[in-house]
Amino acid sequence: SQQGEEDPQALSIQEGENATMNCSYKTSINNLQWYRQNSGRGLVHLILIRSNEREKHSGRLRVTLDTSKKSSSLLITASRAADTASYFCAPTISSGSARQLTFGSGTQLTVLP
Amino acid sequence: SAVISQKPSRDICQRGTSLTIQCQVDSQVTMMFWYRQQPGQSLTLIATANQGSEATYESGFVIDKFPISRPNLTFSTLTVSNMSPEDSSIYLCSAPQGATDTQYFGPGTRLTVL
């Protein structure tokens, strides 16, 4: 199955700074999804980028996708303490049982006030 | 976006008992997934639940321990049977929706087994 691996494993920044997280994967995909998980809670869907898109924005989030390098990045601008969470990428193949998502360890982001 | 709810949100159970977790989606979906997240770990897929057929289990998970029901296109249950402290985890259901198969997750059920 397709699994994303996030990098770095942990990231600590000051409030107001930008945070960049990276994701690498190994197979061809239809799209890639980013999720946020606050401690002990469910996953919140942040953004989906299709394989034919290179960049996508949503509020303070900017996602890029480079299918030739099989990598994606998530940029959070002007970070806030409330952005403190774990972030996961999920490369997706939309075909039969391949719709299941396989998660890496995530990036633990800490935004210091 | 889809709205997925789970019941209960949390529970504390005794060793040897069973707990059934419910997952409700606000629209019809073909596939539903159940995941487990052990403390400090990432999510691991338990099984895929399709309406009208047996659930498909991932390696390391068996039907006797995690029986799943999928009576219709909006609902599924996962039972954690004969629980032990090692089953203490967050259990999450999810479902892909829309043309892009955006996958939404429920809020999770936090299970503690004493």
Side-chain angles (χ1 to χ4, degrees):
Chain A
S1 63
Q2 67 290 355
Q3 176 175 339
E5 289 294 343
E6 298 86 357
D7 175 71
Q9 290 189 342
L11 179 61
S12 184
I13 60 173
Q14 294 293 135
E15 203 164 27
E17 295 181 338
N18 296 341
T20 299
M21 290 159 269
N22 302 298
C23 170
S24 60
Y25 58 93
K26 295 181 178 179
T27 64
S28 296
I29 60 173
N30 292 106
N31 58 57
L32 187 143
Q33 304 178 69
W34 282 92
Y35 293 87
R36 182 187 75 228
Q37 184 181 36
N38 293 89
S39 180
R41 301 190 180 181
L43 270 67
V44 174
H45 187 270
L46 295 177
I47 197 165
L48 179 150
I49 186 167
R50 303 184 190 195
S51 60
N52 61 355
E53 297 176 312
R54 292 295 168 260
E55 186 172 312
K56 198 165 183 178
H57 297 254
S58 176
R60 293 185 296 113
L61 305 180
R62 172 177 167 254
V63 169
T64 64
L65 179 63
D66 186 335
T67 53
S68 67
K69 296 182 179 178
K70 292 185 169 58
S71 67
S72 174
S73 68
L74 170 66
L75 169 68
I76 304 174
T77 60
S79 62
R80 306 167 182 169
D83 295 327
T84 295
S86 292
Y87 291 81
F88 297 92
C89 68
T92 310
I93 301 173
S94 298
S95 173
S97 63
R99 289 175 186 163
Q100 64 197 50
L101 303 182
T102 305
F103 291 91
S105 302
T107 292
Q108 174 60 53
L109 172 66
T110 302
V111 181
L112 303 170
Chain B
S1 63
V3 176
I4 301 179
S5 60
Q6 286 183 234
K7 289 182 182 179
S9 58
R10 58 177 58 221
D11 207 343
I12 300 173
C13 300
Q14 295 296 320
R15 181 195 298 261
T17 62
S18 298
L19 176 71
T20 295
I21 302 168
Q22 300 179 7
C23 179
Q24 180 77 52
V25 187
D26 69 344
S27 59
Q28 294 184 342
V29 293
T30 305
M31 307 177 90
M32 294 177 73
F33 301 102
W34 286 98
Y35 291 83
R36 180 177 74 181
Q37 186 177 30
Q38 294 176 301
Q41 304 294 314
S42 187
L43 281 76
T44 300
L45 181 67
I46 297 172
T48 303
N50 292 323
Q51 194 269 335
S53 64
E54 293 278 336
T56 303
Y57 289 83
E58 297 300 302
S59 176
F61 297 96
V62 295
I63 188 171
D64 290 347
K65 175 67 175 178
F66 297 102
I68 287 172
S69 78
R70 184 79 202 274
N72 57 54
L73 292 174
T74 64
F75 188 78
S76 179
T77 67
L78 169 76
T79 298
V80 186
S81 303
N82 188 25
M83 289 184 285
S84 67
E86 291 72 33
D87 294 319
S88 296
S89 298
I90 299 172
Y91 292 86
L92 301 105
C93 64
S94 72
Q97 286 197 328
T100 55
D101 280 339
T102 300
Q103 190 152 154
Y104 296 99
F105 283 78
T109 295
R110 180 186 286 274
L111 171 62
T112 302
V113 184
L114 303 177

